[in-house]
Amino acid sequence: DTAVSQTPKYLVTQMGNDKSIKCEQNLGHDTMYWYKQDSKKFLKIMFSYNNKELIINETVPNRFSPKSPDKAHLNLHINSLELGDSAVYFCASSQGLVEGETQYFGPGTRLLVL
Amino acid sequence: AQSVTQLDSQVPVFEEAPVELRCNYSSSVSVYLFWYVQYPNQGLQLLLKYLSGSTLVKGINGFEAEFNKSQTSFHLRKPSVHISDTAEYFCALRTAGGTSYGKLTFGQGTILTVHP
């Protein structure tokens, strides 16, 4: 069983479109995250939810909107896609906010905007 | 603000040779340190982490890392690498204290290529 899963794995779309990426964890964790890995492989946090409540919201364009319908799911919706949104998006989860806790990462969603 | 610098973007090494991947960090508060590995087209997997206590931390797949507070470093080592260790390695930190909310700050990554 995959601990943290993401769909789709690959996403190719045109500029201006709206798309969603889904993330699910079956670890019973309370906290979930979205990270973006750019073309230079630099990883940066975007959002974090704890018990369905937004707790981290980095400087991300408001075209990006996370939604957590329940503790096991954290989806990412992107409006009006731009070329610069092309990246790999990773979802992660952790038990909670205990210091030093391990984050478990999904396999990533490779988004290409044409 | 905190930051992580991985000093080598690529490290080529022969099979069965030792390897060290270097990581330095900057933070005005105490930190927890992590090393993650990313195999091609896969997600990140935790190798090891330093929280407190002994400065030498052992992880999976024979890797270990040493926390050096005075040099603000957390270098990753393996005494004998295998072809299967070829991957990208990321150093990351999380600041201690409740305000980090789990946020990990990553370095730029080091690509380790093991040659036969």
Side-chain angles (χ1 to χ4, degrees):
Chain A
D1 279 346
T2 304
V4 183
S5 59
Q6 295 179 228
T7 53
K9 271 194 163 180
Y10 300 94
L11 186 52
V12 182
T13 188
Q14 299 287 332
M15 256 191 343
N17 284 350
D18 302 339
K19 290 293 178 186
S20 291
I21 306 171
K22 296 188 176 184
C23 177
E24 177 181 2
Q25 53 94 2
N26 62 8
L27 298 166
H29 288 169
D30 287 341
T31 310
M32 297 183 73
Y33 312 81
W34 275 112
Y35 288 86
K36 179 181 180 181
Q37 186 178 43
D38 63 23
S39 57
K40 294 184 179 177
K41 295 293 191 79
F42 187 55
L43 265 159
K44 193 169 181 206
I45 193 164
M46 300 172 70
F47 302 103
S48 174
Y49 271 74
N50 184 57
N51 283 318
K52 301 197 303 172
E53 185 181 336
L54 181 68
I55 55 170
I56 295 177
N57 185 350
E58 292 289 287
T59 312
V60 176
N62 57 16
R63 297 181 294 105
F64 289 79
S65 53
K67 281 207 171 47
S68 181
D70 54 59
K71 289 197 301 184
H73 296 84
L74 180 61
N75 304 324
L76 183 65
H77 188 75
I78 316 171
N79 287 327
S80 304
L81 278 155
E82 300 178 357
L83 294 176
D85 297 333
S86 295
V88 183
Y89 292 85
F90 286 101
C91 178
S93 74
S94 65
Q95 180 71 44
L97 296 174
V98 172
E99 296 191 5
E101 220 167 306
T102 299
Q103 291 182 20
Y104 296 85
F105 284 77
T109 294
R110 284 147 186 84
L111 171 64
L112 179 60
V113 183
L114 302 174
Chain B
Q2 59 279 353
S3 66
V4 177
T5 303
Q6 290 181 242
L7 297 157
D8 306 294
S9 59
Q10 297 194 50
V11 173
V13 65
F14 285 111
E15 196 174 17
E16 296 183 7
V19 71
E20 178 179 82
L21 306 183
R22 297 181 293 167
C23 172
N24 283 97
Y25 69 91
S26 171
S27 176
S28 56
V29 299
S30 297
V31 296
Y32 305 116
L33 292 159
F34 304 80
W35 274 100
Y36 280 86
V37 60
Q38 184 180 22
Y39 297 104
N41 294 320
Q42 293 187 27
L44 282 76
Q45 179 184 0
L46 182 71
L47 275 178
L48 49 78
K49 62 183 178 182
Y50 171 76
L51 303 183
S52 64
S54 172
T55 56
L56 183 63
V57 181
K58 292 191 184 297
I60 61 171
N61 301 340
F63 283 93
E64 63 182 32
E66 182 142 27
F67 171 62
N68 188 320
K69 190 174 181 180
S70 61
Q71 297 190 2
T72 60
S73 68
F74 189 54
H75 300 333
L76 181 70
R77 300 186 185 103
K78 186 168 183 178
S80 175
V81 294
H82 302 291
I83 297 284
S84 59
D85 292 323
T86 294
E88 187 151 17
Y89 292 78
F90 291 92
C91 183
L93 72 75
R94 172 182 169 172
T95 55
T99 57
S100 70
Y101 297 118
K103 174 184 171 180
L104 286 175
T105 300
F106 284 88
Q108 303 92 321
T110 298
I111 297 173
L112 173 66
T113 305
V114 181
H115 298 279

